[in-house]
Amino acid sequence: MRMRLRQIVMVAEDLAAAEQRIEHELGLELCYRDPGVAEFGLRNALFPIGDQFLEVVSPTRPGTTAGRQIDKRGGDSGYMVILEVDDLDPLRRRFDEHGARIVYEAVADGIVGLHLHPGDVGGAILSVDRADTWGEWPWAGPEWRDHVGRGTVNEVLAVVIEADDPAAMSARWAQLLGCEVTDDVVALPDGGEIRFVPTGERGEGVSGFLLGTDRDQAGSTTICNCRFDIVTKG
């Protein structure tokens, strides 16, 4: 089965402020605002990183899952990890076999995504999404390719998740996805890693990302309380 890291998601109380920092510090360009997230009491902004995506969501009403995440972690935070896969049926069977509940099935023209209960996975809301054509991404709107290549970074290499027991949580992710895990790192077969590290002051959750660039501009920054480490690929 094909599987790769396709989209990373943060939650912010102030969406405009988060967008400004993403544009200024990562050089990324807004490609889409998905009206469909209003169903969850959210607004969003999507930015392409190569053919992957950084999304920020922000609550528009009380009682949202995203708002509870802000309360739980004491402010802005990492939120979701979205993988692109080429077949959902074996994953549905695997999730059922290993006791991971599908809490929402997102459906749009050309794409279906399965959101898993974070309590059954740990660390983040995990979504596995299948587009009718590998590489397409209807969640990002019809013109996302027009906004690619404008920024400092061009690849999402890894997600970092803080866990009380990194070995146990990484093993759980590997079990559900059918992937290999080595030294608390789950490697996805078609690109990207999920790295698990010990919990810090804010408790379990997504705490950072590793991004790649072809430029000589390695460095780091923190946006929405998530650390972005940028490495030059070579």
Side-chain angles (χ1 to χ4, degrees), residues 67-90:
R68 288 192 291 272
Q69 177 74 353
I70 290 173
D71 293 341
K72 176 183 176 182
R73 304 205 77 209
D76 297 355
S77 175
Y79 185 51
M80 290 183 68
V81 177
I82 303 177
L83 310 182
E84 180 180 13
V85 301
D86 66 350
D87 193 350
L88 289 176
D89 288 341

Side-chain angles (χ1 to χ4, degrees), residues 42-159:
L42 300 173
R43 297 178 298 144
N44 82 334
L46 274 155
F47 301 84
I49 302 176
D51 71 347
Q52 298 164 287
F53 298 90
L54 168 60
E55 180 184 12
V56 186
V57 300
S58 185
T60 60
R61 64 175 186 243
T64 65
T65 301
R68 288 192 291 272
Q69 177 74 353
I70 290 173
D71 293 341
K72 176 183 176 182
R73 304 205 77 209
D76 297 355
S77 175
Y79 185 51
M80 290 183 68
V81 177
I82 303 177
L83 310 182
E84 180 180 13
V85 301
D86 66 350
D87 193 350
L88 289 176
D89 288 341
L91 286 169
R92 289 180 190 272
R93 293 192 294 269
R94 194 171 190 91
F95 298 154
D96 183 62
E97 177 184 354
H98 295 291
R101 290 165 287 177
I102 297 170
V103 294
Y104 183 74
E105 186 163 336
V107 180
D109 287 343
I111 195 164
V112 176
L114 308 179
H115 297 194
L116 299 186
H117 194 298
D120 297 339
V121 181
I125 297 175
L126 171 63
S127 181
V128 292
D129 295 30
R130 179 194 177 277
D132 288 352
T133 302
W134 179 267
E136 294 298 326
W137 207 242
W139 305 131
E143 300 175 351
W144 64 264
R145 286 186 173 83
D146 294 341
H147 302 270
V148 171
R150 308 290 179 88
T152 301
V153 293
N154 59 15
E155 187 175 2
V156 183
L157 300 171
V159 176

Side-chain angles (χ1 to χ4, degrees), residues 69 73 78-79 118 121-125 161-163 169 173 196 204-206:
Q69 177 74 353
R73 304 205 77 209
Y79 185 51
V121 181
I125 297 175
I161 297 178
E162 293 184 345
M169 192 179 289
W173 279 62
F196 297 85
E204 293 188 330
V206 176

Side-chain angles (χ1 to χ4, degrees), residues 73 123 159-167 169-170 183-185 194-200 203-208:
R73 304 205 77 209
V159 176
V160 179
I161 297 178
E162 293 184 345
D164 292 339
D165 186 339
M169 192 179 289
S170 62
D183 296 329
D184 304 334
V185 176
I194 316 297
R195 301 179 178 182
F196 297 85
V197 300
T199 304
E204 293 188 330
V206 176
S207 62

Side-chain angles (χ1 to χ4, degrees), residues 13 78 154 182 220 223:
E13 293 186 88
N154 59 15
T182 304
S220 64
I223 303 173

